[in-house]
Amino acid sequence: MPEKYHIHAEPAEPRYQPVFKLSSTERDQCLGCNDCAKRNCIYDVYKKREFLSSELVDSSGSFCKSCMRCVQECKNNILSKLLNPEYTQIGNSYWTPAILTSLWQQAHAGKIPVSGAGYDGPFSGTGFDDMWTDMSEIVRPTRDGIHGREYISTSIDIGTKLDRLHFNGQELADDLPPMFSLPLPIIFDVPRQAGTWRGVKQAVQQAARKLQTLAFCDDRESTGSHIIPRYSINEKIEPDNSSKMIEIFLESCEGQLIDKAEKLAGEISKSKPGLVICIGLPISKNTAQTVVKLAKNKIGTFHLYANHSGRGTGSDSDYFIKEIVRETHRGLLAESIRDCVTILAGGGIAMAEHVAKLIACGADGVVVDNALLVALECRMCLECLEEEPCHVHIDAIDPQWGTKRIVNLLASWHSQLIEVMGAMGLREVRRLRGETGRVMFFRDLEEECYAPIFGKRVW
Ligand code: SF4
Ligand code: SF4
């Protein structure tokens, strides 16, 4: 049995009181019951609560799991919970308050988040929310997620693969292209706005090293086998000898740029045969066909980019990352070259389930960026994109603290990924790639069930 990959989490306290969903209120008519509803809170919220004079808040909201037991059990109905107005103000329609507060909790404790409030819908939406994972194997005890007896592997391979091997007698006749494995299907990227924040960069890179994964990097100061130097197409490319992989980033899928990148990749491969060369492409209507064209010409690793909401930019903002990954995967399958190519994709990865969903759409690995900032207490106000100062001073964090928070977030995501795969009956993440038989798409189901009766919906 392979050695079990495990991420060790240690609590990393928040620097600021996290914004919480519900605040507690209490009318002054306590009956003094012996069996007080407050004492029955299994999370000991009423024991742990304190008034934080520095921030003028009652800390109970940070521990409360919104199960409403105390509200329901109070004999005189004097306890109630109110929606915290500050909670409704954080984030945006994609990085919702629920996502942000859950990520903070995961970065703090490194555990799978618990919510006692149930889920009252909606059960479908846009982006990743119109996709459901099939958890029908959840009852099989041997594959039972993190506590199961069978090892569930989260390793992936990165690089070009040959479609077949050729032999001269007993001798292998092919030159094997460069390839390496990572124990986690996740690579890090530093969001553009944080590119000059030294503490953030160090935290991301140290966490990548600790987790045995990789981090994309635009500067030339950072070196090491855990760094993927990223070059623009017009830059002089001189990779450090320690790099396993480099990326050539293109602003668009325009024909001349693609030809130039292909030529450049061919030249670098000749001078550095052990280096994996990845071509970075923004998502657009041409991405899938560009990947197929390059893959047919022996380029084997791609990184598909979306913005912080998982969408293309400018006139390509209607495209969402999961659809483009799906289209790319199908295009490569149609040419019978899917197994020769590695697809990495990122942008808008805000939850552990997004990792599983994007892989099920056809990505080999997922690139995580803004979620790492959220682990460092980002509120996704996006004011830093306008070069405004950060309210929570992420630019001034201690890199050691930041490393712990990112490792904790990944510990939680790793456990959740294993849980999802266990429930799907899959023992390795490589098998999840493109496994759309284990997921359902709302649009497909709706069309199948209702289009014959009501006609096709115009989206
Ligand atoms: S709502 Fe639930 S978790 Fe929150 S304080 Fe009441 S009993 Fe505890
Ligand atoms: S300004 Fe700070 S809190 Fe707002 S998005 Fe930027 S890093 Fe996050």
Side-chain angles (χ1 to χ4, degrees):
M1 183 163 138
E3 195 189 331
K4 222 171 177 174
Y5 177 71
H6 174 73
I7 302 177
H8 177 68
E10 301 175 48
E13 297 296 325
R15 295 171 302 147
Y16 295 90
Q17 175 67 26
V19 180
F20 45 81
K21 185 175 180 185
L22 299 175
S23 48
S24 308
T25 61
E26 184 172 338
R27 285 188 289 121
D28 188 18
Q29 288 162 11
C30 177
L31 298 175
C33 313
N34 275 338
D35 186 23
C36 174
K38 290 183 192 169
R39 241 182 266 147
N40 294 337
C41 169
I42 58 167
Y43 301 102
D44 286 337
V45 170
Y46 292 94
K47 272 190 211 149
K48 290 188 208 156
R49 80 193 288 191
E50 52 184 344
F51 183 72
L52 303 172
S53 50
S54 58
E55 298 183 44
L56 297 178
V57 288
D58 165 3
S59 67
S60 64
S62 329
F63 316 117
C64 175
K65 304 292 180 202
S66 316
C67 70
M68 298 295 172
R69 180 177 177 185
C70 55
V71 176
Q72 285 189 326
E73 287 187 358
C74 174
K75 311 267 187 317
N76 211 23
N77 290 326
I78 66 167
L79 302 179
S80 52
K81 298 272 175 187
L82 296 175
L83 191 60
N84 175 8
E86 198 189 346
Y87 176 85
T88 59
Q89 302 297 314
I90 53 171
N92 51 49
S93 59
Y94 190 88
W95 293 84
T96 60
I99 289 179
L100 296 183
T101 49
S102 171
L103 290 177
W104 295 336
Q105 205 183 326
Q106 293 169 66
H108 174 186
K111 294 184 179 157
I112 296 179
V114 174
S115 165
Y119 184 68
D120 59 356
F123 294 95
S124 173
T126 53
F128 287 111
D129 291 341
D130 83 342
M131 190 177 170
W132 305 321
T133 47
D134 175 355
M135 314 283 256
S136 55
E137 297 278 334
I138 204 160
V139 291
R140 292 184 61 179
T142 52
R143 292 193 187 158
D144 193 13
I146 47 176
H147 305 296
R149 283 182 284 141
E150 284 187 24
Y151 179 52
I152 298 179
S153 164
T154 53
S155 294
I156 55 164
D157 305 316
I158 295 190
T160 311
K161 286 153 231 157
L162 298 176
D163 57 350
R164 71 200 69 182
L165 297 175
H166 301 92
F167 291 88
N168 273 338
Q170 298 290 313
E171 295 288 308
L172 183 64
D174 299 300
D175 289 329
L176 292 179
M179 198 179 77
F180 58 87
S181 298
L182 295 179
L184 201 60
I186 294 175
I187 293 182
F188 296 159
D189 200 357
V190 176
R192 181 170 60 83
Q193 67 269 34
T196 55
W197 299 346
R198 190 169 282 273
V200 173
K201 253 194 320 188
Q202 285 179 1
V204 169
Q205 292 174 4
Q206 283 170 19
R209 193 204 302 256
K210 214 165 169 179
L211 296 166
Q212 302 162 47
T213 184
L214 305 174
F216 286 98
C217 183
D218 293 308
D219 68 45
R220 304 293 161 249
E221 292 162 16
S222 316
T223 53
S225 57
H226 60 300
I227 300 291
I228 308 172
R230 176 168 37 211
Y231 297 89
S232 77
I233 184 90
N234 296 319
E235 238 178 298
K236 188 163 185 209
I237 301 181
E238 286 176 326
D240 179 84
N241 281 340
S242 59
S243 307
K244 290 179 185 166
M245 169 166 152
I246 62 160
E247 175 169 301
I248 303 171
F249 170 67
L250 306 183
E251 297 283 349
S252 77
C253 297
E254 192 258 315
Q256 276 185 344
L257 274 182
I258 299 297
D259 294 343
K260 192 170 171 188
E262 192 181 328
K263 193 163 164 247
L264 196 55
E267 287 166 9
I268 301 167
S269 293
K270 276 195 195 120
S271 60
K272 299 248 177 204
L275 191 66
V276 171
I277 298 163
C278 171
I279 303 289
L281 298 167
I283 63 163
S284 71
K285 66 175 187 303
N286 298 324
T287 306
Q289 69 194 58
T290 305
V291 171
V292 173
K293 174 179 179 282
L294 288 171
K296 281 161 88 176
N297 293 339
K298 306 287 176 217
I299 304 279
T301 308
F302 299 90
H303 173 189
L304 311 187
Y305 284 85
N307 72 4
H308 50 78
S309 305
R311 300 207 163 263
T313 50
S315 58
D316 293 312
S317 60
D318 284 346
Y319 298 99
F320 189 71
I321 184 88
K322 86 175 195 306
E323 272 90 41
I324 299 298
V325 167
R326 228 178 143 193
E327 192 186 341
T328 307
H329 177 74
R330 285 169 167 170
L332 293 167
L333 279 179
E335 296 291 337
S336 306
I337 48 174
R338 180 62 190 94
D339 283 336
C340 308
V341 175
T342 301
I343 303 289
L344 304 170
I349 304 300
M351 301 167 79
E353 69 176 58
H354 295 172
V355 175
K357 286 178 173 179
L358 201 54
I359 294 175
C361 284
D364 293 86
V366 171
V367 180
V368 175
D369 46 21
N370 281 285
L372 305 180
L373 274 192
V374 178
L376 307 177
E377 300 185 313
C378 169
R379 264 75 171 148
M380 285 305 282
C381 66
L382 301 182
E383 287 179 17
C384 51
L385 287 176
E386 312 297 328
E387 300 195 356
E388 294 291 332
C390 175
H391 311 281
V392 284
H393 308 290
I394 293 188
D395 45 342
I397 61 153
D398 167 13
Q400 302 307 326
W401 172 84
T403 306
K404 266 197 199 172
R405 298 271 300 187
I406 293 172
V407 169
N408 285 353
L409 179 70
L410 268 290
S412 171
W413 281 23
H414 180 244
S415 298
Q416 290 173 71
L417 183 59
I418 289 176
E419 284 289 304
V420 170
M421 285 200 293
M424 284 175 161
L426 293 170
R427 273 187 288 170
E428 57 171 334
V429 79
R430 292 184 186 97
R431 282 179 167 219
L432 178 61
R433 186 197 72 190
E435 184 51 274
T436 45
R438 300 293 168 111
V439 291
M440 288 161 279
F441 295 92
F442 174 73
R443 285 189 192 195
D444 297 350
L445 292 176
E446 190 189 57
E447 204 170 304
E448 202 178 299
C449 299
Y450 296 118
I453 310 167
F454 302 113
K456 219 168 157 179
R457 190 207 290 240
V458 182
W459 289 89

